Each structure stands twice: as C-alpha cells, then as structure tokens.
Amino acid sequence: MTREQHDNEAETIGKALPSGPKVAVIGSGRFLGHDTNEICIGIGVQLATIEDLVLITGGISGVGEAVGRSFFAARNRYHLAPNTYEILPRGSAEWDYGVTVVGGDTMEDRREVLGRLATLYISIEGGPGTAHEVQVAQTRGATIIPVARTGGFSKEVYMKVGCPSPRLVLQWRILDDCEASVESVSLAVLQMIEALILKT
C-alpha cells in the first residue's frame, strides 16, 4: 500500500471509532520481562477508569492482548462502553474480545495504519515493529509514553524522547525505575495519560 492509502485507511477507521481520546498500546508479541504481563494488566485496569477513552492495539498476543483484555474486562465491570479495538490486516482472524478492525493488507501496512490512529502511544518492551509504529506516530506529532523498565525498544525510545511535560517528571522517572512496583508504574501511566488528554 502507498502512503496515501495508509492515510485514507486510517482516516476511514478513525471516523468509525468513538469520539473519545485515542490511546494506542504497542510492544512485544511475547513477554521478555518477568513482570511485564502484570504491568500490562495493571495499565489496562487503570486506563479503563477514563470514561470516554478509546483503546487501540495492534491485535497481536503479548503486550497488546494483555492490556486490551484487562481494559475490556475492567470496562465491563465498571459498566462502561468497551471501547476496545484491535487493528489487523485483511484476512486475520477476529479476537474474542473488543472489536477487530481491518487495517491494511500486511502487518507492515497495519503498523502504518496503527501509527496514524492515536495521539498518545504507550510503548511496552518492543522490537523493530514497535520502532516502526513509533516512527510513524512521531512523524504525525503523537506523544510516546515508553515504559522503559520493561526493556526492548521502549528503553531506547525513553532515552530519546524525553518527558512530555515538566508537570510529569515524577511519573516519567517511575517508567524507568526497575524498583518501582507494578502498581506504581500503572498509576504513573494513568496520570500521564490523564494529564496529556487534558492538554490535547
């Protein structure tokens, strides 16, 4: 697909999504860190408390599924609209939670489309695919929140992008603190998302 096709596909998907703030979760397809799964679950539960938030994932196992499933389940417990979307290329099987949305013909296309759908991206672990998504998102002016303590590309991007706001320095430091509890990391991500949503 061409850049114009990626733009058009992302625009079409964006118009079909609910009107709330869009947050995308990107990262590894399998967990590398000993507590990454718990961090993902905690982040999903925390984000679910933002009433109109729309969560978007890349539709793969690992980081996206862990955050997406926990977000989806928590939204149901809170009696809120699920607002959970997985972006996958044509021909992919649908997930058993949330809404699976077609985005592109290949996984590379899907990364291009996903990188155009949100204003805020949470990066957890990650490799070359995550790097691709971050590059696309940054080109569009999106903000990246990398959970650096999980390693992978998230550690690299943390060192490059810097804290998005002077008001969030404490939370930003927690993202890179290997001694911080899962609860502290999850809460730091929530506080950053809430502050950045109010700003945008």
Side-chain angles (χ1 to χ4, degrees):
M1 294 176 65
T2 66
R3 176 176 294 186
E4 183 178 1
Q5 288 173 316
H6 293 145
D7 289 341
N8 291 340
E9 195 129 311
E11 183 178 2
T12 299
I13 293 171
K15 288 179 178 178
L17 295 176
S19 60
K22 313 295 188 296
V23 174
V25 176
I26 55 179
S28 299
R30 59 183 180 84
F31 299 120
L32 305 175
H34 71 281
D35 60 356
T36 301
N37 185 40
E38 289 74 19
I39 288 172
C40 288
I41 292 170
I43 289 172
V45 171
Q46 291 283 6
L47 292 181
T49 63
I50 304 176
E51 187 169 352
D52 59 346
L53 187 141
V54 178
L55 185 75
I56 306 168
T57 79
I60 59 174
S61 302
V63 166
E65 181 182 5
V67 177
R69 280 192 185 279
S70 63
F71 179 88
F72 181 80
R75 300 283 291 188
N76 284 336
R77 290 196 302 273
Y78 302 152
H79 304 291
L80 295 172
N83 286 4
T84 312
Y85 297 84
E86 306 93 24
I87 311 300
L88 281 167
R90 289 174 183 80
S92 301
E94 293 188 5
W95 280 96
D96 59 345
Y97 74 97
V99 177
T100 302
V101 178
V102 169
D105 297 323
T106 65
M107 288 303 285
E108 181 176 359
D109 288 334
R110 190 273 286 157
R111 291 192 293 270
E112 288 280 348
V113 172
L114 180 58
R116 289 164 161 79
L117 287 176
T119 56
L120 299 170
Y121 287 76
I122 302 169
S123 172
I124 303 172
E125 296 187 345
T130 304
H132 182 188
E133 289 157 347
V134 166
Q135 180 184 26
V136 175
Q138 287 181 317
T139 298
R140 297 176 41 259
T143 299
I144 313 299
I145 300 174
V147 185
R149 60 163 283 171
T150 61
F153 182 73
S154 294
K155 180 71 171 181
E156 292 181 37
V157 75
Y158 180 90
M159 303 303 292
K160 294 177 181 177
V161 298
C163 182
S165 168
R167 297 176 297 144
L168 299 171
V169 171
L170 176 60
Q171 291 84 353
W172 181 256
R173 289 175 179 162
I174 290 173
L175 299 184
D176 192 35
D177 184 357
C178 291
E179 301 300 319
S181 67
V182 168
E183 292 75 17
S184 296
V185 175
S186 303
L187 181 59
V189 171
L190 171 66
Q191 291 171 342
M192 293 188 75
I193 292 292
E194 287 179 324
L196 292 167
I197 284 173
L198 290 175
K199 175 185 173 183
T200 54

